[in-house]
Amino acid sequence: MKGLQWHQQRIILLVLLIVIDVTIAFIPGGGNTQKALLTTSYNVNQSIRKSTNTFVLATAIASQGDLEITGGPETKPFNPGPMVTFGSSGLKLNIYGAYYGFVSIGLGFAWYAGLVICQLGRFLTRSKVDKMLRVPVSISHIWGYAVMKLTGNFPKISGRENLEGLFKNEDGSKRGAMFVANHCSWMDIPFVVLAMGWRNYKMVAKKELLKVPILSKSISVGGHITIDRSNRASQLATFKKGISWLEQGACLVTFPEGTRSKTGRMGPFKKGAFKMAQRVKSPIIPLSIKYAHLINPPDTVFPWRPGQSIPIEIIIGKPIETEGKSDDELVEQVVAEMVNNLPDCQKPLVGTPISS
């Protein structure tokens, strides 16, 4: 629908919202009819072995057309149906995306109200209640859980057994940990939170997210950490806050690539991504998010199909202890664990550096 005037786009969007019930077919049960986005037909049978500063693939990359891949959702065509394209941004919205936006924004008002109540409560008690800011984090978790369930996006989660007994020190006190994941869609945040379970966590997020309505309130009220990578003072403040939360037994969540992948393939990690965990000897838990880029491509306003139609899967890798390891050793181990659990279409290309 490129080239439509704005008033025409608004009319179409209203029509999409009116027929929102049609999207019931997209929720589990009807979602089986959805087809995965065709994104690649190469890079198969790849395995990764450790190198000093570069991903090295043990097998050659087949050029497009040389080899046919079968079995993966990335190889199957997907028809998103009628689409609205918004102005110069080029962002697209289909019927399912309109439904997702309706649900997430509608529940977002309740989410925001809950956060305001938490903020008022802390003001009245002079921050003497809920010092770990667990309540606002739980409210955010409830919002994410409800949205994922109502829109058919609750992911399959594997590897929970790797978390058993990890969050207690020998003296019985709480032990913090750092969860890290690959990043290829806006859906990654709720996916990671669902994989963690009902734990108190603090996101390490770029400062630009403070411009996003409701999410900015969640970040500030929940004690999450924002960073301005162009500002040395901000980086130092982030480092200190992260260490403080880990020492108190909270978990940190970060996407070490620093930005979303445009293709779904994992990119290089930012240097120093794990220094907070190293300082307090907290373990790092690698999370591999499979196929999120197929439900929420970078040019869509909201997801254009439900994750359970693929399905989306999050694999919780084996925890990696940080004590006694150099930066390079730690990054290599985390990367190897994450990549090992990703499908071929999301593994890094030959020559991709481990860190940048």
Side-chain angles (χ1 to χ4, degrees):
M1 293 188 180
K2 291 183 179 179
L4 291 176
Q5 297 298 316
W6 172 239
H7 71 278
Q8 295 174 308
Q9 294 180 0
R10 286 191 296 177
I11 292 173
I12 294 174
L13 180 57
L14 286 174
V15 172
L16 292 178
L17 291 175
I18 290 172
V19 298
I20 209 70
D21 289 338
V22 175
T23 57
I24 296 299
F26 289 91
I27 299 177
N32 292 332
T33 62
Q34 294 302 305
K35 301 299 181 181
L37 175 67
L38 178 61
T39 59
T40 182
S41 62
Y42 54 95
N43 294 307
V44 295
N45 298 325
Q46 300 173 354
S47 61
I48 290 184
R49 56 186 172 86
K50 188 169 66 176
S51 177
T52 303
N53 59 4
T54 303
F55 290 110
V56 179
L57 286 89
T59 57
I61 296 179
S63 61
Q64 188 169 359
D66 289 343
L67 192 60
E68 180 180 357
I69 302 177
T70 59
E74 74 278 6
T75 67
K76 301 175 183 177
F78 168 68
N79 181 7
M83 302 281 286
V84 175
T85 300
F86 292 93
S88 60
S89 70
L91 293 176
K92 300 178 179 64
L93 182 72
N94 68 347
I95 295 176
Y96 175 78
Y99 170 72
Y100 180 91
F102 177 79
V103 172
S104 60
I105 294 173
L107 292 178
F109 290 114
W111 179 22
Y112 186 86
L115 294 171
V116 170
I117 293 172
C118 288
Q119 197 172 27
L120 179 60
R122 284 185 58 79
F123 174 77
L124 294 176
T125 62
R126 297 181 180 181
S127 302
K128 293 181 180 180
V129 177
D130 192 26
K131 295 182 179 180
M132 292 290 290
L133 301 176
R134 179 64 184 265
V135 174
V137 168
S138 296
I139 290 174
S140 298
H141 192 124
I142 291 170
W143 173 84
Y145 186 95
V147 171
M148 295 300 100
K149 279 292 187 181
L150 291 173
T151 60
N153 278 299
F154 206 92
K156 176 183 177 182
I157 301 172
S158 306
R160 287 193 185 277
E161 65 277 5
N162 291 326
L163 302 180
E164 294 177 3
L166 188 66
F167 302 98
K168 290 286 186 180
N169 290 310
E170 292 181 358
D171 60 2
S173 61
K174 292 182 179 179
R175 186 189 191 197
M178 176 178 278
F179 287 80
V180 301
N182 57 305
H183 192 21
C184 58
S185 83
W186 285 113
M187 303 292 286
D188 295 335
I189 294 177
F191 286 160
V192 167
V193 171
L194 292 175
M196 291 175 57
W198 294 90
R199 294 185 172 83
N200 192 7
Y201 66 91
K202 309 300 171 187
M203 288 276 181
V204 180
K206 57 185 180 181
K207 69 170 186 175
E208 288 78 9
L209 292 182
L210 293 174
K211 300 177 182 179
V212 181
I214 305 180
L215 180 59
S216 60
K217 177 66 73 174
S218 175
I219 291 173
S220 59
V221 177
H224 301 288
I225 307 167
T226 57
I227 180 173
D228 179 358
R229 291 194 176 90
S230 64
N231 187 307
R232 179 63 179 170
S234 173
Q235 295 176 6
L236 183 59
T238 297
F239 184 72
K240 291 180 178 179
K241 288 179 183 178
I243 288 176
S244 176
W245 280 124
L246 286 171
E247 289 177 337
Q248 295 178 74
C251 294
L252 294 185
V253 178
T254 184
F255 298 99
E257 293 164 273
T259 187
R260 283 190 301 161
S261 167
K262 301 298 183 182
T263 63
R265 292 189 181 278
M266 197 170 80
F269 286 7
K270 294 294 182 182
K271 290 184 177 179
F274 307 139
K275 286 189 179 297
M276 289 178 283
Q278 287 175 290
R279 177 63 66 90
V280 295
K281 301 177 182 179
S282 294
I284 294 174
I285 303 167
L287 303 177
S288 299
I289 305 175
K290 299 172 64 175
Y291 302 123
H293 63 296
L294 299 184
I295 68 167
N296 187 201
D299 62 345
T300 55
V301 180
F302 294 114
W304 63 358
R305 59 171 158 171
Q308 287 172 222
S309 66
I310 292 179
I312 298 297
E313 182 179 9
I314 303 172
I315 300 179
I316 302 173
K318 296 179 180 179
I320 297 172
E321 294 294 338
T322 58
E323 186 174 2
K325 295 176 182 175
S326 68
D327 290 352
D328 289 342
E329 289 175 333
L330 191 57
V331 170
E332 287 174 355
Q333 289 184 29
V334 173
V335 166
E337 182 69 17
M338 290 174 65
V339 171
N340 184 57
N341 292 322
L342 288 174
D344 287 328
C345 69
Q346 288 185 262
K347 292 180 179 180
L349 291 174
V350 170
T352 303
I354 287 180
S355 62
S356 62

